[in-house]
Every structure is written in structure tokens, then in C-alpha cells.
Amino acid sequence: MKLIKTFVFLFLLTFTTHAFSKSNEYYQMVITNILTNCKSDECRKSIFEQEVNLAFFNLINAILDQLRFELSQKQKELFD
């Protein structure tokens, strides 16, 4: 149980502290769902993996969008 609490804490700390994160209420709902409806460790693990993967992909996508914007700005500067 201590391991799960550690994962929950690290997950919340990592993915709720940046501008592209979902609301705290969403993560509270996910954790409540995990603690009440998931009885096996496999169920909990799969939900955490899905949430971490989704959050990671959203963060990478936002970084790529920012890089595309900055590259387009540099390209405009070069050709102007």
C-alpha cells in the first residue's frame, strides 16, 4: 500500500503542476475510482499507466507545438 501511495503522490506532483495538466478534480476522481473500484493491483497499474502515458503525450505534444511556433518565427525573421 505504501508503494501505491508513493506512486499517487509522484503522479500528482509530476502531472498537476504544469500548465497543460488536467484539473485537480479530474485526478481526484481517477484516484477515488482506483481506490474504490479496482481490487487488483493489475487494474490499478493499468489505470496509472494509461494516465501517465496520456499526460506524457500531451506534454510532449505541447512542447512540439511550441517548437513549431518558434521555428516558424525564426523562419519569418530569416526571410524578412
Side-chain angles (χ1 to χ4, degrees):
M1 190 67 177
K2 185 176 181 181
L3 182 64
I4 292 173
K5 287 180 182 179
T6 304
F7 281 129
V8 168
F9 176 74
L10 290 175
F11 178 78
L12 290 175
L13 182 65
T14 304
F15 293 109
T16 61
T17 56
H18 58 82
F20 305 106
S21 66
K22 295 181 181 177
S23 68
N24 286 339
E25 289 81 21
Y26 172 80
Y27 289 115
Q28 288 173 356
M29 184 180 65
V30 169
I31 291 172
T32 303
N33 182 37
I34 289 171
L35 295 176
T36 57
N37 295 334
C38 285
K39 301 301 178 196
S40 70
D41 287 336
E42 289 299 316
C43 176
R44 292 175 182 160
K45 183 180 175 183
S46 69
I47 292 175
F48 275 123
E49 286 177 353
Q50 290 171 0
E51 289 297 323
V52 168
N53 285 337
L54 184 61
F56 178 75
F57 289 134
N58 286 338
L59 181 61
I60 294 299
N61 195 21
I63 291 170
L64 289 174
D65 286 343
Q66 181 66 30
L67 286 173
R68 283 185 204 110
F69 174 75
E70 289 179 15
L71 285 173
S72 70
Q73 295 300 314
K74 292 288 183 184
Q75 188 177 19
K76 286 180 184 177
E77 288 176 10
L78 287 175
F79 292 117
D80 285 345

